[in-house]
Amino acid sequence: MYDYRRSVPSYWEDTTESDNDEYRPLAGDEICDVAVIGGGFTGLSCALHLARDFEIDVRVLEAGSMGWGASGRNGGFCCMPATKLSVEQLIHRVGLEETQKFYRMQLDGMHLVRSLGADENIDFDLQGDGNLEVAHHPSRFAGLTTHAETLTRLFGIRTRVYSREEFAETHHDSTEQFGGMHMDAGFALHPLRFAKGLARAAAGRGAVLHSHSLVRRWERESGEHRLVTARGTLRARRVVVATNGFTQEGLHSEFDRMLIPAISNIVTTRPLTVEELARHRWQTQNPICNTRTLLFYYRLLPDNSFLFGARGDITGSPQAGERMRAWMTQRLGEVFPGWRDVPISHFWRGLVCVTRKLAPSVGRLEDDPSVWYGFGYHANGVNTAPWVGMKLAQEIAGHSGDSMEIPAIMKGLAPRFPFAWMRRYALGCAYLYYRWQDARG
Ligand SMILES: Cc1cc2nc3c(=O)[nH]c(=O)nc-3n(C[C@H](O)[C@H](O)[C@H](O)COP(=O)(O)OP(=O)(O)OC[C@H]3O[C@@H](n4cnc5c(N)ncnc54)[C@H](O)[C@@H]3O)c2cc1C
């Protein structure tokens, strides 16, 4: 999972023009004001905003190519929320006002993605006019209806609930479709084109980007940071940690045991024919999640290929990957039996980031305020990570502008996980429990 030299065998890679690794690796001794570690949505948006809006001298160090991490290989759902806490749990923890602020941030993140596309001329194949959630079991429909009502009442998000029959008539049918909800927020996009577009925009505004520049050591010397890669050293006054699920232990002691990297997996089919689409009455361009805790997420791509994603596997080994591919192919065929024999064109996976507070961590270190961080989007970073990158840039520059403060639930680090080695097994146990719970309905 951490072989940064390996290109990702994704549908997105095959449908994106190569940038021929235009960002040279760091070499020799270099210096800058702000060094960003990680070239995904968080790091690239931070660099773009620092360079474009504040003319700050910024460099990005990325271990792979730009967007190599989760940003260039996700499902492309610009959706919400970036937390595993329910609305009720959020209100219990931070109160109604802060919960509303968090949801407002989630909507602002979606607007930001759209405007970055327009302002920076990034063509990321925008699709759809909202997000859909589907009850995977009859018992989940009532909860979906209540959730839709909550989203409208508390956060002003327009929703519409459909019975099973109505949903089949207007969106799609499947063996796990027992009614659905349309949320008038978000859309779908091509994530790798978005990441590469952000990189180009940041570089065009003066940020210096270095791909294939894994930070191996981080030293502190006479008031400055020294980030050491295989071939160079970058000295910086301030550092932004934007490594999310790919953060490895030992990068900086403050981030050790801070997160669980969880694997998310995706298969895509070859383009479906009109006749095949009709087998499931497929009529929507919107991205769809179902109500499983270990959710299935799926969408139709612009060329009518079908993308189907799922959580699972705790080892990340190639053998486990093969088993995951087989399991997902089987599950896709069970949920959409009309497509059982359609060949799979791509399988890939990546790491999402879970924190102990089950919500993002954004801020600066108390013991060293020259270090900033943003991570922990709980597999919901397409709208959240660019916003966090922008917010970090504004805070670093000391100009919050008109944008809102960081919502309380996202502020600061979460408590550490007690034992690093136990995290994987704890996750495995949670998966078993959720599978059992999801199957019961
Ligand atoms: C399969 C999959 C499907 C997903 N689907 C969705 C979805 O549909 N919608 C959604 O909202 N979210 C989705 N997500 C989550 C979303 O992709 C992430 O939340 C988001 O991309 C995080 O962006 P980031 O920039 O913080 O991290 P990343 O994009 O992961 O970037 C971190 C970067 O840091 C680099 N790095 C790590 N260590 C070092 C180091 N020491 N030195 C230099 N570089 C380093 C890595 O190479 C990596 O490129 C999905 C994730 C996965 C894996």
Side-chain angles (χ1 to χ4, degrees):
M1 304 299 294
Y2 300 95
D3 185 353
Y4 303 101
R5 287 157 307 175
R6 210 170 143 252
S7 65
V8 183
S10 71
Y11 171 91
W12 309 124
E13 288 283 351
D14 280 354
T15 50
T16 304
E17 273 176 34
S18 161
D19 57 10
N20 293 322
D21 265 346
E22 60 198 81
Y23 310 107
R24 65 170 178 85
L26 181 75
D29 201 3
E30 300 274 1
I31 188 160
C32 67
D33 182 350
V34 180
V36 177
I37 310 177
F41 294 150
T42 307
L44 293 170
S45 165
C46 184
L48 168 63
H49 285 94
L50 281 171
R52 185 190 71 182
D53 299 348
F54 307 110
E55 294 178 15
I56 286 179
D57 167 29
V58 54
R59 290 191 184 223
V60 177
L61 298 175
E62 163 54 47
S65 50
M66 293 299 151
W68 180 89
S71 297
R73 57 172 105 176
N74 60 63
F77 291 40
C78 192
C79 57
M80 62 179 182
T83 177
K84 289 293 164 210
L85 297 170
S86 65
V87 172
E88 293 71 27
Q89 287 169 321
L90 276 169
I91 293 173
H92 180 70
R93 277 207 201 169
V94 293
L96 176 60
E97 205 177 307
E98 277 294 338
T99 302
Q100 286 174 322
K101 198 158 145 192
F102 172 69
Y103 269 80
R104 209 161 60 244
M105 178 268 118
Q106 293 289 291
L107 291 168
D108 282 2
M110 292 170 172
H111 296 311
L112 175 68
V113 172
R114 209 183 263 271
S115 59
L116 282 170
D119 297 347
E120 302 301 333
N121 208 9
I122 306 171
D123 179 6
F124 49 56
D125 272 351
L126 192 148
Q127 281 178 281
D129 63 357
N131 272 276
L132 296 165
E133 199 170 336
V134 163
H136 79 282
H137 189 277
S139 67
R140 296 293 176 102
F141 183 66
L144 201 60
T145 310
T146 312
H147 184 52
E149 188 269 327
T150 304
L151 290 177
T152 307
R153 183 169 45 86
L154 296 185
F155 313 124
I157 300 169
R158 274 186 308 194
T159 55
R160 181 168 169 193
V161 175
Y162 298 82
S163 67
R164 179 184 181 156
E165 295 70 31
E166 286 167 342
F167 199 81
E169 254 168 48
T170 50
H171 294 83
H172 78 76
D173 206 358
S174 84
T175 58
E176 293 197 7
Q177 190 279 91
F178 295 94
M181 185 251 288
H182 177 271
M183 189 191 302
D184 194 5
F187 47 88
L189 53 71
H190 189 305
L192 186 59
R193 285 198 198 150
F194 181 37
K196 300 271 187 213
L198 282 179
R200 257 192 310 277
R205 305 298 182 133
V208 179
L209 313 187
H210 299 284
S211 55
H212 304 290
S213 301
L214 172 73
V215 176
R216 292 159 182 252
R217 236 174 35 247
W218 181 340
E219 298 163 354
R220 203 75 167 92
E221 206 177 276
S222 29
E224 66 179 13
H225 299 272
R226 288 165 55 86
L227 304 176
V228 182
T229 68
R231 288 200 263 158
T233 300
L234 182 59
R235 291 186 289 137
R237 214 155 60 84
R238 299 176 278 191
V239 176
V240 176
V241 176
T243 46
N244 203 45
F246 288 87
T247 312
Q248 295 202 60
E249 299 289 296
L251 177 66
H252 187 299
S253 59
E254 288 288 338
F255 301 102
D256 287 349
R257 291 190 279 118
M258 265 300 151
L259 56 102
I260 297 186
I263 302 174
S264 198
N265 310 267
I266 292 179
V267 290
T268 50
T269 67
R270 64 133 166 81
L272 298 167
T273 63
V274 172
E275 189 270 323
E276 283 164 345
L277 286 171
R279 287 182 203 160
H280 286 288
R281 306 169 76 180
W282 196 276
Q283 299 160 65
T284 180
Q285 298 281 308
N286 289 332
I288 303 171
C289 289
N290 71 6
T291 48
R292 289 174 175 276
T293 308
L294 284 182
L295 85 169
F296 290 153
Y297 52 97
Y298 44 90
R299 55 179 279 212
L300 196 68
L301 299 168
D303 67 355
N304 285 352
S305 297
F306 189 67
L307 178 152
F308 185 77
R311 247 8 95 62
D313 178 28
I314 54 167
T315 71
S317 72
Q319 298 78 356
E322 276 313 304
R323 283 195 296 276
M324 201 65 209
R325 179 189 168 118
W327 180 78
M328 289 182 63
T329 308
Q330 179 198 328
R331 293 298 284 126
L332 194 164
E334 286 166 1
V335 180
F336 296 99
W339 303 338
R340 185 170 279 144
D341 300 324
V342 178
I344 297 297
S345 63
H346 297 81
F347 166 72
W348 71 96
R349 51 222 223 118
L351 298 172
V352 303
C353 184
V354 176
T355 67
R356 239 182 107 184
K357 65 172 165 171
L358 300 178
S361 290
V362 185
R364 64 202 293 192
L365 291 182
E366 275 175 26
D367 289 347
D368 184 350
S370 64
V371 177
W372 304 77
Y373 56 84
F375 60 88
Y377 310 123
H378 295 82
N380 206 115
V382 173
N383 70 330
T384 314
W387 187 90
V388 168
M390 175 194 74
K391 192 69 211 163
L392 289 173
Q394 291 172 346
E395 301 259 331
I396 289 167
H399 293 273
S400 281
D402 293 336
S403 85
M404 69 162 68
E405 274 177 45
I406 300 163
I409 193 67
M410 295 167 67
K411 259 189 208 159
L413 291 170
R416 286 178 207 275
F417 288 97
F419 301 105
W421 59 270
M422 266 182 67
R423 287 175 296 181
R424 194 197 276 185
Y425 301 101
L427 190 66
C429 293
Y431 280 174
L432 284 176
Y433 172 70
Y434 291 142
R435 268 211 184 115
W436 171 77
Q437 200 185 39
D438 287 340
R440 282 175 65 220

